[in-house]
Amino acid sequence: MYRIKKYVLTLSVFLLFISTISAGGRRDGNELTEINISYVKSPFNLQVMVMKEHGLLEKEFARDGIAVNWHEITSGAKQAEAMAAGSLDIASVMNTASVIIANAAGNNVDIIDVVSRPVDTFTIMTAAEGPADLSELSGKTVAGPKGTVLHQLLESVIRKEGLENVSLVSMGLPQAQAALLAGQVDAALLAAALVLKTQDAGGRILTTSAGYVQPLLVSVSPRSFTEEYPEIIRRYRKVQKESYRYIMENPEKALTIGASQQDISIEAARELYERSGIAESFTASDEQGLIKDIAFLRDLGMIEGEVSTEDLKSRLLDVQ
């Protein structure tokens, strides 16, 4: 078992996001003039892609003179940093590990909606000549992003399978895939389209998160924003549910949007959608998953501050 360094938000990263996403003039007194939202397409967040492609949020807030600004920030940790800097009002998709870590670090953010439960989206992969099964990962090097649901998957596998001396080299998903295909690491933590591309290159899935971790992707907003603008949060959720209904009623049209947004074939989009675990509402099982995630991250030494599931889900308002 390897040790994890304490998760730290650095000043340099804060300054980067302050400089790249301007919050100037966002509010006139308490009157909201614009909303800054992250655009997260991966792993396959079809509700968000449909919302943006159809301009549903823009239509919802146009009558109030509120502009909707989309920002492509894919990392959960970077979204949390942007919210802490006051540059992001709504993170359209974050994994719960990033949400918990942010709150434990004093960056209070609230879960405002559920996006998906992508059990089959997150994987540990190896190259064609790599380890044949999970038992052969002992003593091996794995590439992937720390502090994410993929990291949590690896730790769960290590514990459940009794593996030893597994080294995690922290890097982004594209870099992890490149390292795997170049033979620089023995396995990689990969998700969504990168899984399909790695399989096309001869890679194999050692395991998905099924049986190890229950991933939950959620929409999130800073507590300061949810407290000041609860009606905006309610309307955001209403629009996201409209997008969900559109997907259920027009699956082929929705898949065409997803394929275009991710620059993949319609067949690949359909496979990713089937793995995505698209969801509409928060359940008791999701809350139990949050409790397990908090305990798991604390046991890893990745969080120290107190985190309450009641606080995390306090803004999951009912929307008819």
Side-chain angles (χ1 to χ4, degrees), residues 81-195:
E81 290 157 7
M83 286 188 285
S87 303
L88 193 66
D89 301 312
I90 296 175
S92 65
V93 185
M94 283 179 66
N95 65 76
T96 50
S98 294
V99 175
I100 292 166
I101 290 169
N103 278 274
N107 178 12
N108 294 326
V109 296
D110 294 322
I111 296 172
I112 61 173
D113 208 350
V114 174
V115 178
S116 63
R117 304 178 187 92
V119 173
D120 295 322
T121 294
F122 298 100
T123 70
I124 300 176
M125 298 194 71
T126 187
E129 303 303 321
D133 54 45
L134 292 175
S135 65
E136 295 184 13
L137 282 181
S138 287
K140 299 296 193 294
T141 300
V142 181
K146 288 185 179 180
T148 66
V149 66
L150 281 165
H151 179 190
Q152 191 173 353
L153 167 59
L154 178 61
E155 276 290 343
S156 295
V157 167
I158 290 171
R159 294 183 178 202
K160 192 168 184 177
E161 304 300 330
L163 305 180
E164 296 180 350
N165 301 317
V166 179
S167 300
L168 175 62
V169 180
S170 184
M171 60 180 72
L173 296 183
Q175 293 78 17
Q177 184 210 30
L180 176 65
L181 296 180
Q184 297 169 343
V185 294
D186 302 295
L189 309 177
L190 299 174
L194 285 176
V195 174

Side-chain angles (χ1 to χ4, degrees), residues 21-37 65-69 71 82-90 221-222 224-226 228-229 232:
I21 304 176
S22 172
R26 188 166 60 81
R27 296 181 178 86
D28 180 11
N30 288 326
E31 184 178 352
L32 197 66
T33 59
E34 61 183 54
I35 306 172
N36 289 293
I37 303 173
I66 299 174
V68 175
N69 304 319
H71 306 280
M83 286 188 285
S87 303
L88 193 66
D89 301 312
I90 296 175
S221 181
S224 58
F225 190 87
T226 64
E228 188 169 1
Y229 301 103
I232 296 296

Side-chain angles (χ1 to χ4, degrees), residues 222-295:
R223 188 158 302 158
S224 58
F225 190 87
T226 64
E227 290 178 347
E228 188 169 1
Y229 301 103
E231 181 63 13
I232 296 296
I233 298 302
R234 188 193 70 79
R235 291 167 67 183
Y236 177 87
R237 292 193 70 214
K238 176 177 73 71
V239 171
Q240 183 151 288
K241 290 184 185 301
E242 289 173 5
S243 180
Y244 178 89
R245 287 193 293 271
Y246 176 87
I247 295 166
M248 296 298 105
E249 295 168 4
N250 305 276
E252 291 305 311
K253 291 181 180 179
L255 285 176
T256 299
I257 291 172
S260 174
Q261 289 294 301
Q262 294 214 2
D263 193 24
I264 56 178
S265 68
I266 192 71
E267 291 78 14
R270 184 172 288 108
E271 183 170 351
L272 290 177
Y273 174 73
E274 290 171 354
R275 296 183 181 188
S276 70
I278 187 172
E280 185 180 19
S281 58
F282 190 83
T283 67
S285 177
D286 294 331
E287 181 166 7
Q288 290 303 307
L290 283 176
I291 292 172
K292 292 178 181 178
D293 289 347
I294 292 170

